[in-house]
Structures are given as C-alpha cells and as structure tokens.
Amino acid sequence: MGTETGATPPDDQADRALADLLTELDRCVDELVQARARAETLQRRRREGSAWLDVVTNEARPLIVERISTVLAALSAAGHTWRREQAAALQAEQISINRIAALFGVTRQRISALLREGGSEDPPGRERGDELRP
C-alpha cells in the first residue's frame, strides 16, 4: 500500500540518514574484515604453540576487541539516527504513531520519544499528546 512521492527532495533527512548508514556499514565491514584477519593471525600463532601472554602482548593496536567496540558504537549511532529520521519521514507522510510503532516493532510511547528526541514538529492539525490515543 505504498505511495509514490516522486523524486527525493533535497532536504530529505531520512534519505541523508540512510546514506550515512550505508557509508557507516561499508566502513564497519572493512573494520570487521581487518579484525577477522587479525583474529585468524592470533589463532594461528596460538595453534603454533605461542603462549597466550605472548599472543596478547604482541597484538598491535587497535586491538581486535577495540575494533569490535568501535564498530558496535558506530552502527548503533548510525542505526539510531536512521530509525529516528525514518519515523519522522513516516510521520510527515501522515502515518499514525501507532502504525509507525507497529512497523518498527516497538511501543507508540517509544516512537513518540524518538520523534521528540529529533525535535520533530507535530503534523499540522495535531496537538502534542494526540499520538497516545489509539
């Protein structure tokens, strides 16, 4: 039941957030490929008989765990921004808070909080609190 809206407007925040997410996903994939290669090297060294202390102390920075933590934080931030902007875009298309919540698999209160966090304006003709009505 989608509706076509034509070309993407230049001020489409959701489109920008999605582009940023794609960029971040590519960067994170590269980081994880490097982390995997490093993990394979450590595993090989261990299987060749190196002590864990030698394996760990000789690992170059950033450590595998540091790469993974960085990737998780980056994906969490980019994913959150995308979700917020996507919710705002749906709201701008007059989709109800309840329907957005159902699409995202969260409560309507979570969507309301997400939209408030982004500073999204209520659509014309609606007052704050309307989103809490079924």
Side-chain angles (χ1 to χ4, degrees):
M1 186 176 149
T3 58
E4 293 298 319
T5 58
T8 302
D11 63 339
D12 189 335
Q13 296 292 341
D15 187 63
R16 269 198 287 276
L18 183 55
D20 291 346
L21 178 61
L22 288 167
T23 299
E24 197 59 44
L25 284 167
D26 288 340
R27 192 190 67 72
C28 288
V29 166
D30 291 342
E31 282 288 322
L32 290 173
V33 165
Q34 292 176 36
R36 188 178 199 298
R38 178 87 58 83
E40 288 173 339
T41 299
L42 296 183
Q43 188 175 52
R44 188 185 71 250
R45 289 190 61 222
R46 177 66 181 155
R47 288 180 177 171
E48 290 171 350
S50 295
W52 275 118
L53 180 61
D54 292 336
V55 171
V56 172
T57 56
N58 291 321
E59 184 183 356
R61 298 257 177 192
L63 301 175
I64 295 168
V65 71
E66 291 170 332
R67 285 182 187 264
I68 293 168
S69 294
T70 299
V71 163
L72 291 173
L75 286 177
S76 178
H80 180 77
T81 299
W82 158 237
R83 175 174 263 202
R84 183 184 65 233
E85 295 302 334
Q86 185 181 34
L90 289 166
Q91 185 183 42
E93 291 179 359
Q94 306 301 309
I95 306 302
S96 73
I97 297 293
N98 286 337
R99 180 131 188 245
I100 297 169
L103 289 168
F104 285 17
V106 298
T107 65
R108 62 182 180 234
Q109 290 84 359
R110 178 65 193 117
I111 295 300
S112 293
L114 192 64
L115 291 168
R116 280 192 305 274
E117 173 187 302
S120 298
E121 301 283 329
D122 285 331
R126 295 192 58 192
E127 296 180 12
R128 179 122 354 239
D130 283 353
E131 66 270 16
L132 298 179
R133 292 190 201 130

